[in-house]
Amino acid sequence: MAETIFSKIIRGEIHCHRVYEDAHVLAFLDIGPLSAGHTLVIPKEPAATLDALSDDSAAALGRALPRLCRAVMKATGATAYNVLQNNGADAHQAVFHVHFHIIPKFPSRPSGSSGLGITWNPGKLDAETAKSLTSAISQSMT
Ligand code: AMP
């Protein structure tokens, strides 16, 4: 995996506003926050996208994430939040080191500080497509 700014943050070569660290996980404030308390949670393992992450790192992230969500909510007073995780440039990933965004939502605040905005254009799942996708995905599980 190519070196990213997050590798330098993990090594302590670049400053971050660290809110949590353990053997496998680091969490720090996003420098371009969508709302107050916007936090990034990253594995120390250098994987570019979630599908490339080891089970051990995934388990460590899974343990830390809900605790960090609780801490961000408690600290900011937010009662709603989004967890966002982008994989690939086409999915808006800018830093190619796995990271989860915890983004508190403050609906009453002006846009620019209210949190994540989402455009969601749902389609319709037809029976044939559902059948073939269910089969393809379940058979691809390793
Ligand atoms: P993504 O589009 O999911 O790859 O998001 C990358 C995020 O990393 C953005 O929200 C950036 O603001 C954030 N970011 C980039 N560099 C830093 C940094 N040095 N410290 C904290 N957050 C950063």
Side-chain angles (χ1 to χ4, degrees), residues 5-6 9 28-32 40 86 92-95 99 101:
I5 193 159
F6 290 175
I9 287 175
F28 50 95
L29 298 181
D30 193 301
I31 45 161
L40 297 176
N86 299 326
H92 303 284
Q93 185 177 14
V95 179
H99 53 282
H101 298 255

Side-chain angles (χ1 to χ4, degrees), residues 6 10 15 19 21 26 33 42 48 56 65 68-69 73 79 81 86 90 93 95 101 109 125 136:
F6 290 175
I10 290 166
H15 172 264
V19 299
E21 182 166 14
L26 177 66
I42 72 174
D56 280 351
L65 255 177
L68 281 156
C69 290
M73 295 308 99
T79 55
Y81 62 98
N86 299 326
D90 287 340
Q93 185 177 14
V95 179
H101 298 255
R109 295 186 186 171
L125 183 63

Side-chain angles (χ1 to χ4, degrees), residues 72-138:
V72 170
M73 295 308 99
K74 187 175 175 188
T76 62
T79 55
Y81 62 98
N82 294 97
V83 173
L84 176 69
Q85 205 278 314
N86 299 326
N87 297 280
D90 287 340
H92 303 284
Q93 185 177 14
V95 179
F96 291 89
H97 182 123
V98 171
H99 53 282
F100 287 77
H101 298 255
I102 300 172
I103 311 168
K105 189 74 187 168
F106 301 103
S108 61
R109 295 186 186 171
S111 75
S113 61
S114 66
L116 181 67
I118 300 176
T119 303
W120 192 279
N121 298 315
K124 217 171 169 66
L125 183 63
D126 66 76
E128 265 317 296
T129 308
K131 194 174 164 196
S132 86
L133 281 173
T134 300
S135 163
I137 294 169
S138 58

Side-chain angles (χ1 to χ4, degrees), residues 8-72:
K8 294 189 172 118
I9 287 175
I10 290 166
R11 292 199 298 266
E13 294 166 13
I14 290 182
H15 172 264
C16 73
H17 298 281
R18 183 178 58 204
V19 299
Y20 175 78
E21 182 166 14
D22 65 30
H24 300 284
V25 176
L26 177 66
F28 50 95
L29 298 181
D30 193 301
I31 45 161
L34 295 181
S35 61
H38 183 164
T39 298
L40 297 176
V41 186
I42 72 174
K44 291 185 175 174
E45 180 183 314
T49 52
L50 192 59
D51 49 280
L53 201 59
S54 70
D55 285 355
D56 280 351
S57 277
L61 275 172
R63 272 194 304 274
L65 255 177
R67 294 170 59 211
L68 281 156
C69 290
R70 286 193 286 276
V72 170

